[in-house]
Amino acid sequence: MTQYTVHPTAIVDDGARIGAGTRIWHWVHICSGASIGERCSFGQNVFVGNDVEIGNNVKIQNNVSIYDAVTLEDDVFCGPSMVFTNVNNPRSHVSRKDEYRRTVVKRGASIGANATIVCGHQVGEYAFIGAGAVVTRDVPAYALMVGTPAKRIGWMCACGERLPNDIGTHACPACDSFYQIGGNHCTPA
């Protein structure tokens, strides 16, 4: 007996490893090599490739494709129709499956609707990628990134509230967690 929920229209290939309490909704396809943690949620029309690792409590909204060479750590949020790539220079007539570049999204990061994460980069812990942003380089932990290409415009608390951008020690206005903010870094204080 499975300890996860699968909608009748979903396809879960034999061999996929899926944790307890995970919910897989309409028209989802999970490939045989995927590894998925506990308490995850996959919205309508999600695709999960073979070489994909997904941690616990990950929320993936409708129309997201997670291609090979992507790792999502615990508590990651993927907004509707956001995109991961896995090849930098794709061509239909040239096979580049041996050139996939690994993408890692660290614990607690949020990626907004219609954002694109170009392969080969890391999105830091609790970073926040704004809707429609295009990430073309590594993202620091707690960074707030927007635009095309994405640029850091501030910092975010682990609770999801925006922090002051000034250098120094600051408290989150919502949860009173403290952060040390420097030139291009933000760390819990």
Side-chain angles (χ1 to χ4, degrees), residues 55-185:
N56 296 320
N57 197 42
V58 174
K59 307 292 187 250
I60 302 176
Q61 301 294 298
N62 296 352
N63 305 312
V64 174
S65 292
I66 306 169
Y67 297 117
D68 286 350
V70 173
T71 298
L72 306 178
E73 293 186 353
D74 294 348
D75 303 320
V76 166
F77 175 87
C78 295
S81 301
M82 62 80 46
V83 175
F84 290 101
T85 70
N86 60 8
V87 174
N88 250 17
N89 55 341
R91 291 285 193 199
S92 177
H93 65 280
V94 178
S95 178
R96 293 207 162 97
K97 290 184 178 186
D98 59 338
E99 297 178 23
Y100 289 168
R101 295 181 181 188
R102 185 146 304 276
T103 298
V104 177
V105 181
K106 303 295 275 182
R107 177 185 187 101
S110 292
I111 304 170
N114 293 305
T116 299
I117 309 298
V118 175
C119 61
H121 301 291
Q122 178 173 291
V123 176
E125 288 183 339
Y126 300 103
F128 194 100
I129 311 301
V134 178
V135 172
T136 60
R137 62 179 184 241
D138 287 351
V139 174
Y142 302 96
L144 171 58
M145 306 288 287
V146 299
T148 304
K151 293 183 179 10
R152 187 185 61 75
I153 63 163
W155 302 103
M156 298 291 280
C157 178
C159 79
E161 292 294 322
R162 191 163 180 182
L163 297 168
N165 205 24
D166 303 328
I167 292 174
T169 302
H170 300 281
C172 171
C175 72
D176 290 326
S177 295
F178 283 88
Y179 292 87
Q180 182 64 41
I181 297 173
N184 197 31
H185 71 276

